[in-house]
Amino acid sequence: MSLRGAALRVTRPRLAVLAVLREHAHATTDEVLGRVRVQLPEVSHQAVYDVLRALTTAGLVRRIEPQGSVARYEARVGDNHHHLVCRSCARIVDVDCVVGAAPCLTPSASHGFTVDEAEVVFWGLCPQCSAPSSDRKEVL
Amino acid sequence: MSLRGAALRVTRPRLAVLAVLREHAHATTDEVLGRVRVQLPEVSHQAVYDVLRALTTAGLVRRIEPQGSVARYEARVGDNHHHLVCRSCARIVDVDCVVGAAPCLTPSASHGFTVDEAEVVFWGLCPQCSAPSSDRKEVL
DNA sequence: CCTGCATTCTTGAACGAGTCAAGTAAACAG
DNA sequence: CTGTTTACTTGACTCGTTCAAGAATGCAGG
C-alpha cells in the first residue's frame, strides 16, 4: 500500500481520496470531497484539504493550478508529464514529455539558477470546442 | 501611445500602472497599487484591478500565476518568453524561449487539440538561495 | 471651446478557496 | 490492551478578487 510506503497512517479518508484520484484525474478539492462522501458521508472538507496536502507532500499525488482554475490533483506522479488545457471548456488532458525530451527542459539562459523541474502547459482548443458547429460546451 | 493603439481611453491610473509595470516586472496587484499611489495617492484598489484586467485583455500586459503565488503582471508581451522561479525566495526571472525553439512547443501527442501556446515554468533555486551558507532570504 | 454620453473610477460590500485553532477520535507501537 | 501521536470534526476566519451603484472623467461631435 502506497500510504504505508510513505510512512503515512492508513485511514479511511486517505484511502478514499487516493481511490477517487485514481479514477478521476485533475479533480478539484470540491469534486474530490463530493466523490469521497459517496462512500464516507461524514468526512469534513477540512479532512480532504489535509489529506490532499499530506499526499502531495509525500509525493503520492500532484497538485496542478492552471491559470484561472482552482487547485486540481492527480494520482499520476513521478513521470513529469504535462497538460493540455482547453481555453473554451477547461478540459485537461495529460501529454507525455514534449518531443526531443531533455533538451526542451533546459532554459536557454538559466541566470545561475539550479533548475530541477520544467512545468509545461499547452493551451488551445479541444476537438469538441474547435469543431465548427458541434454541440460544444462553453465554459461560463 | 500604446493605450490609444488598443482603443483604450488614456487615464492617469492606466498610465501609472503601465509605467510601474515597465519598471517592475512580475509585480503583484498589491505592489502595483502601492507604487501607483506614490504618484496618485487617491487611486482605489478596484481601479487597479480594473486597469490590470483591461490592459491584460488588450494584450498590453501579461498576467502570470505561478503556483502558490497571487497573480503577477508584466509589461513584456508578444514574445512568449518563459519564467524561472526560485522555490526558496520566489524570485522570478525571464528566460527567452527554450532551446530548439518551435519543436519544444509541440506536445508529443496533441489528442486532437489545436494548441496555440506553450507556457513553460522552470522551477529551481536562484544563485543566492543555492549558495551554501550565504545570507539567503528564505520565503516564509 | 462646450456639450453629452460612454467609459472609468470610488466606495463599500460580498464571495469563495483555502487556512487556523481547539477539541475529539482513531491508528499503531509496545 | 493501553498510551501516545497523528488525524479528523467543527466552526471561525483570512485574503485575493469580484460585484454593484453612483460620481467623475475622457473624448467625439457640434
Side-chain angles (χ1 to χ4, degrees):
Chain A
M1 172 53 57
S2 45
L3 285 171
R4 281 220 160 64
L8 289 175
R9 287 188 179 175
V10 179
T11 68
R12 288 172 193 288
R14 286 176 178 174
L15 290 171
V17 168
L18 270 178
V20 166
L21 288 180
R22 283 179 182 140
E23 281 272 306
H24 307 275
H26 317 131
T28 63
T29 305
D30 216 53
E31 287 164 2
V32 171
L33 177 59
R35 293 186 187 280
V36 165
R37 280 188 172 156
V38 170
Q39 311 234 80
L40 300 170
E42 304 301 321
V43 276
S44 63
H45 89 137
Q46 186 60 34
V48 171
Y49 274 101
D50 286 350
V51 168
L52 287 171
R53 170 145 17 151
L55 296 181
T56 302
T57 302
L60 295 182
V61 146
R62 181 169 161 207
R63 174 185 177 127
I64 59 175
E65 303 178 30
Q67 301 238 150
S69 166
V70 297
R72 292 171 177 274
Y73 296 85
E74 62 186 353
R76 180 177 165 189
V77 294
D79 64 346
N80 189 256
H81 66 274
H82 304 302
H83 298 102
L84 206 47
V85 185
C86 177
R87 290 189 193 277
S88 176
C89 68
R91 174 187 321 226
I92 301 176
V93 308
D94 290 344
V95 286
D96 292 322
C97 210
V98 292
V99 297
C104 286
L105 304 183
T106 306
S108 48
S110 68
H111 296 263
F113 274 57
T114 307
V115 176
D116 61 54
E117 183 187 344
E119 177 190 354
V120 186
V121 178
F122 296 98
W123 293 91
L125 291 175
C126 70
Q128 284 77 0
C129 291
S130 58
S133 56
S134 64
D135 50 347
R136 73 176 67 171
K137 290 181 194 154
E138 292 283 349
V139 72
L140 240 172
Chain B
M1 173 54 56
S2 45
L3 284 171
R4 282 223 160 65
L8 290 175
R9 286 188 180 176
V10 179
T11 68
R12 289 172 193 287
R14 286 176 177 175
L15 290 171
V17 168
L18 271 178
V20 166
L21 288 180
R22 283 179 183 140
E23 282 270 307
H24 308 274
H26 318 132
T28 63
T29 306
D30 215 54
E31 287 164 1
V32 171
L33 177 59
R35 293 186 187 282
V36 164
R37 280 188 171 156
V38 170
Q39 311 234 79
L40 300 170
E42 304 302 321
V43 277
S44 63
H45 86 139
Q46 186 59 34
V48 171
Y49 274 99
D50 287 349
V51 169
L52 287 171
R53 168 145 18 154
L55 296 180
T56 302
T57 303
L60 295 182
V61 145
R62 182 169 160 207
R63 175 183 176 130
I64 58 176
E65 303 178 30
Q67 301 236 152
S69 166
V70 298
R72 291 172 178 273
Y73 297 85
E74 62 187 354
R76 181 176 164 189
V77 294
D79 64 347
N80 188 255
H81 66 274
H82 305 302
H83 297 102
L84 205 48
V85 185
C86 178
R87 291 191 193 273
S88 173
C89 69
R91 175 189 318 227
I92 301 175
V93 308
D94 290 345
V95 287
D96 293 324
C97 210
V98 290
V99 297
C104 287
L105 306 182
T106 308
S108 48
S110 67
H111 295 262
F113 274 58
T114 308
V115 176
D116 62 53
E117 182 187 343
E119 178 191 353
V120 186
V121 177
F122 296 99
W123 293 90
L125 291 175
C126 70
Q128 284 77 0
C129 291
S130 57
S133 56
S134 63
D135 50 348
R136 73 177 65 171
K137 290 179 194 155
E138 293 284 346
V139 71
L140 243 172

